[in-house]
Structures are given as C-alpha cells and as structure tokens.
Amino acid sequence: MTPPDDLSPSPTAVLAAAARSTRLQTRRLELLPLRGPNAVFTDVQGRRWGTDPSTSPAELADLISSIATCGLLQPVLVQQLPDGARHLAAGERRLLAMRWGAVHLGDNLHFEALPANVVDGPLSTEELRVWQLVENLARTDLKPGELAAALLYERCAVLTAELIAADVDVDEAAKTMDDPTERWRALDQIRTRAGLHSVGAPWSTVIGRLGLELSADKAKRLVAAFRAMPVDVAADMDDHDITLASRMEWLRLDRGRHDAAAEIWDAIKARGRTDLLTRACREARTHSDLNPQAAVDLADQVHQDANASRRAATIGSGHPDGPTAAVVPAEVVNAAKTALADLLTHLADGDVGGYDRGSLVLLCDQVTSALDTPDVGTANS
C-alpha cells in the first residue's frame, strides 16, 4: 500500500489510501474489557504513565470528564497479533483516560469496556500512518463530498466484514476498488448473488466506527447525493463550500433537466454568486420554460428584493440607512449568513462542546448588540 506522499494529504487521498488496506477495511468493532485477566495491553505503545506529559492524569482531565458524561465517541484501533495478543495501534490518550476511569470511577458505566476497532495485525508502518490520518479526519470539518466518501468507504468495510463472516468469497478486486461507489455496487452484487438479503451495513455501525457525531438520516442523504452526483461536480462543489441542502436542490433539477443544471452551476460560478444556487435551481424547476441564465437572473432579483424588504423594515424601525451609516461589505455579510445557515443545519443533527457553545453564544450576543446599536449600518447584500 502506498501512503500519501506529503505530511498533509487531502482527505480524498487519505480515504483512498485507507481503502487500499484490506486489513483496515475489514476491522470489527468490539467492546474490550478494562478489568480482570482479559484486559487488553499491559503497555501502551512502549510507554507507561507519566513518561509523556500529554498522557498524565492531569492533562487527561477534560477527556475523562467528557467520557464520563457521554462515553467514548471515537473507538481506539487495536491490532490482534497472530499469537492472540492485542496491542493498541492508535488512541493512547483515549485508552489511558478509559483505564483511569475504570479504576477511579468504577460506578460509571461509560468506563465498563473500551470501544475498539480490532484489526488483524501486525499493521505496517504505512497502515498505521494512514489510520492516524483517518482519525484526524474525524476531528476535522470535512466538506460534504469528503464526508460522504468516508461514510461510503466505511460502509463497504462493514459489508465486506459481514460477507466474510458469512463464509462468502469476496474477491480482491471488489475489496480494493478505489472508487467507493463502484466498490459498494460490486459488494452489493456479491451479497445479492449469495442470497444474503438480511446482511447489511447499518448506518449506526458505520458512523460509530468513524467516531462521527452524525445522524443516520444525514449520513444517508450525504451518501445519496455523493453517489448521484458526478465526481468532478462533487469535488467542485466542495471547493466552493456548497451545503448539502443546495446540492440536493441541484440534483433534483439535474434529474429532469441535466443540461440546465450544469449551465446554472457554471453561471453562478462565473458570477461568483454560489449563494444563488438553491434559488436558481428552484426557479428552473418551477418554470420549465426558463433558460438557465434567466433562472440565475431571477434568483438574483429575488435575493435583491428580499434584501430591499429587510432594509425597508429596518428603516421603519428607526435604524439609519443614510450616507452617514457605516456599511459592512456585502461579501462579509453573505459569508456570515452562509456560515450561520450551515451551522444551524449541523445543530439540527448534534450539539457543540461546552467551550465552543459559550464562544458561540457570546459572539451571537455581541452581533445582536451591534445590530441594535443605532450607528451601525448594514451591508447592501
């Protein structure tokens, strides 16, 4: 297996590298005991308590507290060696935090057993490095296309493991296809031919193995959009930070008016107004006789009319709109609105941590206060 060439490979490169490792892809999620003779590992990657400052109990306090409240969200990686021994491959701080909790917080059920992805070892240096990068992806704000690819690769891995457990021969070509959509299609065909209609890859398992805080419904929609959309368009939309909701609108148009969808995407990019994508696609679907450029023009006009109405309402409330009011650049306001809309979408599927929550609340209060101040102007966006 060839690892990514540089130290900061793209998410797509990391996922493709992980997909080439049959061992990583056929790992199994297990709950490993932390107490008694069957407890895993005596040493942790060759170190003991206190040899690394970042693994001292004091430094692990926040992690221990988090696990005590909501459990370990991201499983560690454990390799099972030919002699039956199990050793940690990735997740030292998580293991040490779980061990501390098992000893000192024995009445907390979250420390009862260690969630672990178990893989047949020994893993190569390249595989270990790729897995560390994969784990980093779970802590990164992945773009919709990247996240969908990760989910689909993982779903393939779960189905592969299920087929192998059912004594079904899965050929190497199906297990190692780089394209996640093609890989899933090949594995599903193998499953169907074997008559294993009850065998599948539950989304809860897929999401849990990746350590993501994501609903099953959103995972399904992400993957559905990824599979339906041309690879180059999905990557292009990732580059332009297009949300899942806007992608779904584009796909609805693409199903009935493929050429119009392509032209609208090109037109809004040319204008630098990707914020018009959702509205332009809706207008094109509503008015089938509307050409793509006209749909974009109409979307822009609707956008301007809505802003004009908001400005009029603001003036009616006593806020200034004259030349003395400082005007925030339109691009800044548009970027903030897009980010807030995206945040609201994510908040529908999960919550944020205590520190981030406090920061967001403080910033929102400050923005509200600034908007309510008489001498603060608004952008003509």
Side-chain angles (χ1 to χ4, degrees):
M1 183 183 69
T2 304
D5 293 328
D6 58 20
L7 294 177
S8 301
S10 70
T12 303
V14 172
L15 295 169
R20 287 192 289 270
S21 168
T22 301
R23 285 183 292 198
L24 288 177
Q25 285 296 298
T26 55
R27 63 192 184 279
R28 54 202 177 274
L29 186 63
E30 297 184 20
L31 291 176
L32 305 180
L34 288 168
R35 305 185 187 94
N38 295 321
V40 291
F41 351 101
T42 54
D43 293 321
V44 185
Q45 296 182 194
R47 294 197 297 267
R48 294 185 183 277
W49 282 104
T51 60
D52 181 347
S54 69
T55 61
S56 68
E59 291 297 322
L60 294 173
D62 288 343
L63 179 56
I64 292 169
S65 176
S66 173
I67 296 172
T69 302
C70 55
L72 185 64
L73 298 178
Q74 188 172 4
V76 300
L77 182 67
V78 172
Q79 52 182 332
Q80 182 161 325
L81 303 179
D83 62 2
R86 285 175 165 174
H87 289 283
L88 186 72
E92 179 178 3
R93 297 182 79 253
R94 280 165 280 164
L95 170 62
L96 292 176
M98 287 290 292
R99 278 182 164 178
W100 191 95
V103 172
H104 300 279
L105 303 171
D107 58 342
N108 188 311
L109 295 180
H110 289 310
F111 296 101
E112 194 71 26
L114 176 71
N117 285 312
V118 181
V119 60
D120 293 331
L123 295 173
S124 67
T125 301
E126 291 83 1
E127 286 171 317
L128 288 172
R129 177 171 175 249
V130 165
W131 183 254
Q132 290 169 351
L133 293 170
V134 169
E135 286 204 331
N136 288 338
L137 295 185
R139 295 187 287 271
T140 303
D141 291 330
L142 295 180
K143 296 175 180 178
E146 297 165 346
L147 181 53
L151 288 164
L152 197 47
Y153 277 130
E154 198 59 37
R155 199 171 186 218
C156 289
V158 173
L159 182 56
T160 298
E162 290 292 325
L163 292 172
I164 292 173
D167 294 325
V168 175
D169 182 32
V170 182
D171 60 81
E172 286 300 314
K175 288 189 289 187
T176 57
M177 287 180 176
D178 284 339
D179 187 302
T181 299
E182 292 300 321
R183 180 188 291 199
W184 174 260
R185 186 176 293 116
L187 292 170
D188 193 44
Q189 289 174 351
I190 293 173
R191 180 187 65 85
T192 302
R193 287 197 300 268
L196 298 175
H197 303 294
S198 62
V199 171
W203 283 110
S204 57
T205 302
V206 173
I207 294 167
R209 282 170 37 127
L210 284 171
L212 298 171
E213 295 185 60
L214 188 71
S215 70
D217 180 64
K218 186 166 185 180
K220 291 177 186 177
R221 288 186 286 122
L222 279 164
V223 170
F226 180 79
R227 294 179 64 184
M229 188 174 289
V231 175
D232 57 334
V233 175
D236 200 12
M237 287 191 177
D238 273 353
D239 290 339
H240 287 83
D241 295 322
I242 303 301
T243 65
L244 174 61
S246 293
R247 293 174 195 233
M248 298 305 291
E249 285 292 341
W250 186 88
L251 281 170
R252 292 186 186 102
L253 176 62
D254 185 63
R255 292 190 190 102
R257 300 179 62 190
H258 174 72
D259 290 342
E263 287 185 43
I264 284 176
W265 175 235
D266 288 339
I268 66 169
K269 284 192 298 178
R271 294 190 189 193
R273 293 295 308 278
T274 53
D275 58 307
L276 299 177
L277 179 60
T278 298
R279 173 61 64 178
C281 289
R282 287 178 183 170
E283 297 296 345
R285 286 198 301 118
T286 303
H287 309 286
S288 58
D289 58 338
L290 204 62
N291 67 59
Q293 285 292 346
V296 176
D297 289 338
L298 183 55
D300 195 6
Q301 187 59 54
V302 170
H303 186 76
Q304 292 181 42
D305 290 345
N307 284 334
S309 296
R310 283 192 290 269
R311 285 196 296 274
T314 300
I315 294 171
S317 301
H319 284 260
D321 196 47
T324 59
V327 179
V328 179
E331 60 270 20
V332 174
V333 177
N334 285 331
K337 289 190 295 186
T338 299
L340 286 171
D342 194 41
L343 174 62
L344 286 172
T345 300
H346 285 289
L347 287 175
D349 295 317
D351 205 349
V352 294
Y355 179 83
D356 288 333
R357 172 190 284 271
S359 298
L360 286 171
V361 170
L362 178 61
L363 284 171
C364 287
D365 287 344
Q366 290 175 335
V367 169
T368 301
S369 176
L371 289 173
D372 288 339
T373 301
D375 61 352
V376 175
T378 55
N380 296 318
S381 57

